[in-house]
Amino acid sequence: MRNFDLTPLYRSAIGFDRLANMIDTANRNEQQPAFPPYNIELLGENEYRITMAIAGFSKEELDIQSESGSLTIKGAKAADEAERTYLYQGIAGRNFERRFQLADHVKVVKASVENGLLHVDLVREVPEAMKARQILIES
């Protein structure tokens, strides 16, 4: 991917530094590992779902945190004390950490595990003060 020089944006625009930081973070996130695979769905106008394949992880081994516009999902496998001899090991049971940048007013509403898939539901709730409102014209 190409690197972008955002210096002109900083020189001529006020208050867009958060946008520039988001672009820079997205550019750096290209190096994130591909494990575990995930989908991001648009369920409605303001509803989203992240579905992550977490085969072999129990809900106790997962940690989901949302903080200041960032969603972090971590999986830490408990140590397996039984020694195993694999002829082929195709199921990845390694620890992972996946980060997602959330837009303003996007909140996590619930998370669930079903059939080896983690579902994280998100919703964008725009405050009343920021919604468009009708202005009455006086005579």
Side-chain angles (χ1 to χ4, degrees):
M1 182 172 195
R2 238 186 283 194
N3 288 332
F4 296 102
D5 180 18
L6 301 174
T7 307
L9 181 65
Y10 288 123
R11 283 193 307 249
S12 61
I14 312 287
F16 288 95
D17 51 330
R18 185 167 189 274
L19 174 65
N21 288 338
M22 284 176 45
I23 292 170
D24 188 45
T25 301
N27 195 23
R28 274 189 267 120
N29 283 347
E30 284 288 317
Q31 292 85 28
Q32 273 196 14
F35 179 78
Y38 65 93
N39 294 334
I40 301 175
E41 292 179 76
L42 178 62
L43 301 176
E45 186 177 340
N46 292 311
E47 298 175 35
Y48 306 90
R49 173 177 278 174
I50 298 171
T51 301
M52 188 173 290
I54 54 159
F57 284 86
S58 67
K59 65 181 181 178
E60 291 79 21
E61 297 171 322
L62 299 172
D63 180 42
I64 303 171
Q65 295 183 9
S66 177
E67 180 183 1
S68 65
S70 178
L71 172 65
T72 304
I73 302 173
K74 296 179 187 177
K77 287 296 288 177
D80 188 8
E81 297 184 15
E83 267 195 48
R84 299 171 190 251
T85 303
Y86 291 102
L87 297 178
Y88 173 76
Q89 185 177 8
I91 299 173
R94 62 185 178 268
N95 297 344
F96 67 88
E97 181 176 331
R98 175 73 62 179
R99 293 181 185 273
F100 299 93
Q101 285 296 122
L102 302 178
D104 292 338
H105 314 296
V106 172
K107 297 177 184 171
V108 177
V109 290
K110 74 175 186 174
S112 61
V113 177
E114 178 184 354
N115 298 327
L117 297 174
L118 171 67
H119 300 289
V120 180
D121 292 336
L122 306 115
V123 66
R124 178 180 21 226
E125 296 176 345
V126 180
E128 282 297 320
M130 298 187 76
K131 290 183 181 177
R133 58 189 176 99
Q134 185 70 34
I135 307 298
L136 297 175
I137 301 172
E138 296 178 12
S139 348

